[in-house]
Amino acid sequence: MESHELHLDRARATSFGSVAEQYDRYRPESSDELIDELTAGHPTRVLDVGCGTGKVARTLAGRGLAVLGVEVDERMANVARGHGVEVEVSPFETWDDAGRRFDLMTCGDAWHWIDPDAGIAKAAQVLATGGVMAWFWNSSQVEEPVAAAFTHVYAQHAPEIVWVWGPRDTTRSERVPLSGRDAFSPIEEKVYRQERVLTADQWVGLVATSSDHLRLGAERLAALLRVVHGTIESLGGHVRIQHETTALICRRQRRL
């Protein structure tokens, strides 16, 4: 399946709930610079689409904003609620907005699970004129010796998984979701970078929350993670990564 068709694989899209607590523990927090950018216009009503366990939503709430999450998986939503996030469970494309309108709509690491045409139509519907839409995703690149070691491990144990440790190709559904949609301003791209150092435990905990790993099944995944963990330990016990968040930002410029 092509990357821009991932939204058609509903089983994969809803696989994260099986590791909801682990997802919440190991997935990275939002960049402070990105949050600064999103809150610069002083929005008051925020919709976080595909909110997962609420990592983005609660960061925005920590800035004093009223945030509503929409999440397709009840298990992920329950973790978010445990952090005080209000969540409604539904696919975004068919979510009942009940006439509510928002000043800011965010979607972190989830837009590729949403039908791009229906998703954009829904975004145009729920954003107030002048409201900001921001969708963003994370990628990490490891140092060359570690990348080489990982390439060898995955070729042996999970050849169907590629580039977990390198910059992720931007999918069409992320890159051009507004093609031909004149309800929005031109897209502005911003990239936020930081270096992070993860222990072997943190690295395997993180990659085990990705959908391509979850599709391996419990037995194969456990075997792969044991080898990956041992590989990291043999290389010094940690992974130094260049972490990158790419954000695409536009504004609802008029009502249709």
Side-chain angles (χ1 to χ4, degrees):
M1 178 175 290
E2 296 293 330
S3 58
H4 62 271
E5 297 177 327
L6 281 174
H7 68 278
L8 299 175
D9 191 342
R10 302 317 300 166
R12 186 172 176 182
T14 58
S15 63
F16 303 100
S18 65
V19 290
E21 294 287 352
Q22 186 171 345
Y23 187 104
D24 192 52
R25 179 179 179 182
Y26 291 108
R27 286 291 179 115
E29 302 295 332
S30 300
S31 160
D32 287 338
E33 292 177 283
L34 172 59
I35 298 301
D36 289 343
E37 174 75 25
L38 298 180
T39 58
H42 306 289
T44 57
R45 300 159 298 172
V46 182
L47 180 68
D48 187 29
V49 175
C51 72
T53 61
K55 297 185 80 70
V56 174
R58 62 187 189 249
T59 301
L60 290 167
R63 299 289 185 97
L65 306 181
V67 185
L68 172 66
V70 176
E71 167 56 40
V72 71
D73 191 290
E74 182 72 43
R75 297 163 296 180
M76 300 284 276
N78 282 335
V79 174
R81 291 174 182 134
H83 292 292
V85 178
E86 181 183 356
V87 185
E88 297 181 7
V89 175
S90 171
F92 175 60
E93 303 92 321
T94 57
W95 170 63
D96 181 7
D97 61 76
R100 291 165 289 184
R101 298 295 177 260
F102 301 87
D103 307 308
L104 171 64
M105 188 186 108
T106 58
C107 184
D109 273 318
W111 190 257
H112 48 283
W113 301 119
I114 296 170
D115 179 281
D117 292 328
I120 288 306
K122 191 69 172 183
Q125 178 179 326
V126 302
L127 272 173
T129 299
V132 171
M133 176 179 176
W135 63 109
F136 39 92
W137 60 94
N138 297 293
S139 61
S140 299
Q141 186 170 7
V142 304
E143 296 174 306
E144 180 55 36
V146 179
F150 284 174
T151 297
H152 178 71
V153 168
Y154 278 78
Q156 288 188 313
H157 297 275
E160 63 267 54
I161 299 178
V162 295
W163 295 113
V164 177
W165 49 91
R168 194 176 83 197
D169 289 338
T170 303
T171 68
R172 188 175 76 182
S173 62
E174 288 168 334
R175 177 63 58 182
V176 199
L178 304 184
S179 178
R181 306 287 182 168
D182 61 0
F184 293 89
S185 67
I187 296 170
E188 181 179 7
E189 178 176 326
K190 298 196 174 185
V191 180
Y192 306 90
R193 297 181 177 90
Q194 61 178 313
E195 184 175 273
R196 302 174 63 207
V197 178
L198 303 183
T199 66
D201 286 346
Q202 290 170 328
W203 178 266
V204 299
L206 173 63
V207 299
T209 67
S210 62
S211 62
D212 49 5
H213 283 68
L214 292 172
R215 290 197 301 170
L216 294 174
E219 186 174 338
R220 284 188 68 200
L221 178 57
L224 170 65
L225 295 182
R226 283 194 297 270
V227 178
V228 170
H229 192 284
T231 299
I232 296 171
E233 292 292 353
S234 72
L235 293 171
H238 66 270
V239 178
R240 187 178 303 276
I241 65 174
Q242 298 300 319
H243 180 76
E244 183 173 287
T245 301
T246 302
L248 303 181
I249 302 171
C250 61
R251 191 175 294 275
R252 182 72 164 92
Q253 58 187 9
R254 67 179 181 82
R255 304 307 300 176
L256 293 176

